[in-house]
Amino acid sequence: MKDYFDEAPTFLNEFFRRRFRMSKRLFLRIVDDLEAFKQKPNARGALGFTGIQKCTSALRILAYGNITDINDEYLKMAEKTTRDSLEHFCRGIIDVYCARYLRTPTWDDLQKIYEVHNAEHGLPGMIGSIDCMHWRWDNCPTAWRGQHTRGDQKGPTIILQAVASQDLWVWSAYFGVVGSCNDINVFEQSPLLEEWISGKAPKVFDFREDV
């Protein structure tokens, strides 16, 4: 709490964003929204870990790819508690935010996005940019390093494909493709293309990939 959440914390907001991969305001909102992370008494009546501690534990694992016993020293949290917190965090994010943030755009959403792009860039019929980025995987198993390594990258990676609109709202995210693929390979196996081929995508979609 003294490090990040006191009135005069040891580490300023820029350090918080770098280490937690989000702003402190967003972090505290997530803590408040996740019911599973409310502080509760155990069988002996003693209060357990706070929501801030549990969210910190989960985000340290996700942000740095650490093993689950890494929080023993800093948070005094056992490996099983860390693993349970991580699972509850991931499930909680889906349950709480799926309906608003983890959805495909509606027809009304697309019309609004069209209007903005046409006004800003003069590109009618475009909803956003689709592109891929490589995430370093330093702990990649040796047996998998070949398929996750590409010549223009410094080590093993996993690819994220995302579609973002003008307001930086991410409408689609496809993560997990091996790092040896290029953007076209990723697009060919993307759920976006599958939906378009199967006729499930809105008819107003216009895919233009930045290769």
Side-chain angles (χ1 to χ4, degrees):
M1 294 297 292
K2 291 181 179 179
D3 284 345
Y4 298 104
F5 300 101
D6 275 358
E7 293 184 2
T10 304
F11 299 100
L12 301 179
N13 288 338
E14 53 265 31
F15 290 99
F16 187 97
R17 177 177 286 275
R18 188 177 72 188
R19 291 168 180 167
F20 287 78
R21 306 296 197 266
M22 63 178 67
S23 66
K24 187 186 297 185
R25 179 181 60 82
L26 176 58
F27 176 88
L28 293 175
R29 177 188 169 187
I30 292 174
V31 172
D32 290 338
D33 288 346
L34 294 184
E35 185 65 31
F37 280 180
K38 303 298 183 184
Q39 191 176 28
K40 301 175 183 177
N42 58 22
R44 298 182 299 172
L47 288 175
F49 291 103
T50 65
I52 287 179
Q53 289 172 304
K54 292 177 181 177
C55 280
T56 298
S57 171
L59 284 173
R60 286 299 176 91
I61 300 298
L62 292 172
Y64 292 101
N66 288 328
I67 55 178
T68 52
D69 65 354
I70 196 68
N71 294 320
D72 284 355
E73 295 177 336
Y74 183 57
L75 296 174
K76 304 299 186 291
M77 185 178 291
E79 180 179 1
K80 183 180 185 304
T81 305
T82 298
R83 188 165 55 247
D84 291 343
S85 297
L86 177 62
E87 181 176 349
H88 288 315
F89 180 86
C90 295
R91 292 185 181 275
I93 292 295
I94 294 172
D95 293 342
V96 174
Y97 301 118
C98 179
R100 176 166 175 79
Y101 298 106
L102 304 177
R103 63 178 177 86
T104 56
T106 64
W107 190 87
D108 290 335
D109 292 328
L110 293 172
Q111 299 310 308
K112 294 176 182 178
I113 297 171
Y114 277 162
E115 293 174 2
V116 172
H117 270 284
N118 195 20
E120 292 286 336
H121 307 292
L123 295 173
M126 181 177 180
I127 68 169
S129 300
I130 179 172
D131 204 356
C132 298
M133 68 175 296
H134 290 257
W135 289 72
R136 286 284 303 274
W137 189 9
D138 294 329
N139 296 329
C140 176
T142 302
W144 295 357
R145 295 182 75 87
Q147 60 181 324
H148 285 83
T149 303
R150 207 170 74 179
D152 59 339
Q153 302 295 322
K154 295 183 179 180
T157 61
I158 300 176
I159 299 176
L160 166 68
Q161 180 197 72
V163 177
S165 54
Q166 177 74 17
D167 57 357
L168 302 183
W169 189 290
V170 177
W171 289 105
S172 174
Y174 176 49
F175 184 68
V177 181
V178 296
S180 59
C181 292
N182 58 35
D183 289 7
I184 297 177
N185 301 144
V186 177
F187 183 68
E188 288 175 344
Q189 54 186 299
S190 168
L192 289 175
L193 184 61
E194 292 294 331
E195 291 180 0
W196 183 74
I197 293 175
S198 62
K200 297 179 181 179
K203 298 302 181 183
V204 287
F205 269 153
D206 182 14
F207 293 117
R208 300 177 186 180
E209 183 171 10
D210 178 18
V211 179

